Amino acid sequence: MSAAEHLTGRPAESPTAAVADPTGAGPTVAGLLLAAGGGRRLGGRPKALLPHRGRPLVENAVRVLREAGCGPIHVVLGASAAEVRERADLTDCVVVDNPDWEEGMGSSLRVGLDSLAGTGAGAALVSLVDQPGIGSAAVARVREAYRSPTSLVAAAYDGERGHPVLFGADRWADIVRTATGDRGARVHLREHAKEVILVECGDIAQDYDIDTPPDLARLDPAGPEGGLRGA
């Protein structure tokens, strides 16, 4: 059973519609990491710079996308962007700044999708910097469900839609038009709910967010590789 059928029990879109990358290794799915948050409920600590396994949290999120086979990888920064660029190793990533990051996730999603225009990617797999419990295995499941530029795929946890989410390139313009505030792509997902392929990931990942001081206990500030299940 394919990743797309893992939860739904129905066949995925025809693989003949898939867009292959120039190397012939498979469809080109870009990784889009939203890492602009200022950590308001964390006392103003930018989420990208939270310590995890001895490095800034943004590096963990980039590694997960890369190990899952996404590329190119675009990273959207906002709060303390200059400091993030200085302290985090974002080698081989396209880093873009969102000057309007305080408006919410929607603005970062718009900036990120705009930055992917012209890359030739067939889809963008969107992940959030503050979800270290979602590792490369879960991201790969979602990526592998891509079939065409109209694909709409989301990870699910016990049947409930979560992150990451994959948007085929044909959907980007509508998402940019409707993504506002903290709603991100919720409008598009709601209007096209019947088209969403859910890929169950609850068996290999945890979809918690790092939002409040108690959540910081889920991070491993100085530990070696290993740590959290699904990371």
Side-chain angles (χ1 to χ4, degrees), residues 40-57:
R40 177 177 55 83
R41 287 182 286 172
L42 291 169
R45 302 173 62 183
K47 291 187 176 183
L49 290 175
L50 294 174
H52 182 53
R53 297 176 176 172
R55 299 296 303 164
L57 187 58

Side-chain angles (χ1 to χ4, degrees), residues 27 45 54 108 130 132 134 136 146 195 198-199 208 218:
R45 302 173 62 183
S108 291
D130 66 343
I134 301 175
S136 57
Y146 168 76
E195 302 166 43
L198 294 178
V199 179
Y208 56 80
R218 294 181 178 272

Side-chain angles (χ1 to χ4, degrees), residues 7-159:
L7 176 68
T8 64
R10 64 178 184 271
E13 300 163 71
S14 170
T16 60
V19 177
D21 70 15
T23 68
T28 301
V29 175
L32 177 55
L33 176 62
L34 306 185
R40 177 177 55 83
R41 287 182 286 172
L42 291 169
R45 302 173 62 183
K47 291 187 176 183
L49 290 175
L50 294 174
H52 182 53
R53 297 176 176 172
R55 299 296 303 164
L57 187 58
V58 65
E59 290 185 17
N60 175 77
V62 167
R63 173 184 60 81
V64 166
L65 287 171
R66 185 169 289 127
E67 290 180 354
C70 296
I73 297 174
H74 287 217
V75 181
V76 180
L77 301 180
S80 302
E83 185 179 1
V84 176
R85 288 174 181 269
E86 179 180 350
R87 291 177 51 188
D89 182 1
L90 299 176
T91 304
D92 296 328
C93 295
V94 175
V95 182
V96 293
D97 291 338
N98 174 16
D100 301 317
W101 62 269
E102 290 182 287
E103 294 180 4
M105 187 190 305
S107 63
S108 291
L109 184 57
R110 295 196 305 269
V111 167
L113 290 176
D114 281 343
S115 76
L116 287 169
T119 63
L125 191 149
V126 180
S127 67
L128 308 180
V129 74
D130 66 343
Q131 293 189 317
I134 301 175
S136 57
V139 175
R141 276 189 186 175
V142 175
R143 182 187 64 80
E144 289 164 4
Y146 168 76
R147 291 297 179 271
S148 80
T150 64
S151 289
L152 186 57
V153 185
Y157 301 87
D158 295 327

Side-chain angles (χ1 to χ4, degrees), residues 117-218:
T119 63
L125 191 149
V126 180
S127 67
L128 308 180
V129 74
D130 66 343
Q131 293 189 317
I134 301 175
S136 57
V139 175
R141 276 189 186 175
V142 175
R143 182 187 64 80
E144 289 164 4
Y146 168 76
R147 291 297 179 271
S148 80
T150 64
S151 289
L152 186 57
V153 185
Y157 301 87
D158 295 327
E160 295 296 323
R161 177 172 55 80
H163 285 90
V165 181
L166 181 148
F167 301 108
D170 287 356
R171 298 182 179 274
W172 296 354
D174 184 64
I175 294 170
V176 167
R177 181 180 61 83
T178 59
T180 59
D182 278 324
R183 293 183 297 173
R186 290 178 194 167
V187 172
H188 186 87
L189 288 165
R190 183 177 66 247
E191 292 178 348
H192 300 273
K194 293 182 178 180
E195 302 166 43
V196 180
I197 292 176
L198 294 178
V199 179
E200 181 60 46
C201 294
D203 58 322
I204 54 173
Q206 297 171 301
D207 66 334
Y208 56 80
D209 302 324
I210 305 298
D211 283 334
T212 64
D215 297 331
L216 296 174
R218 294 181 178 272

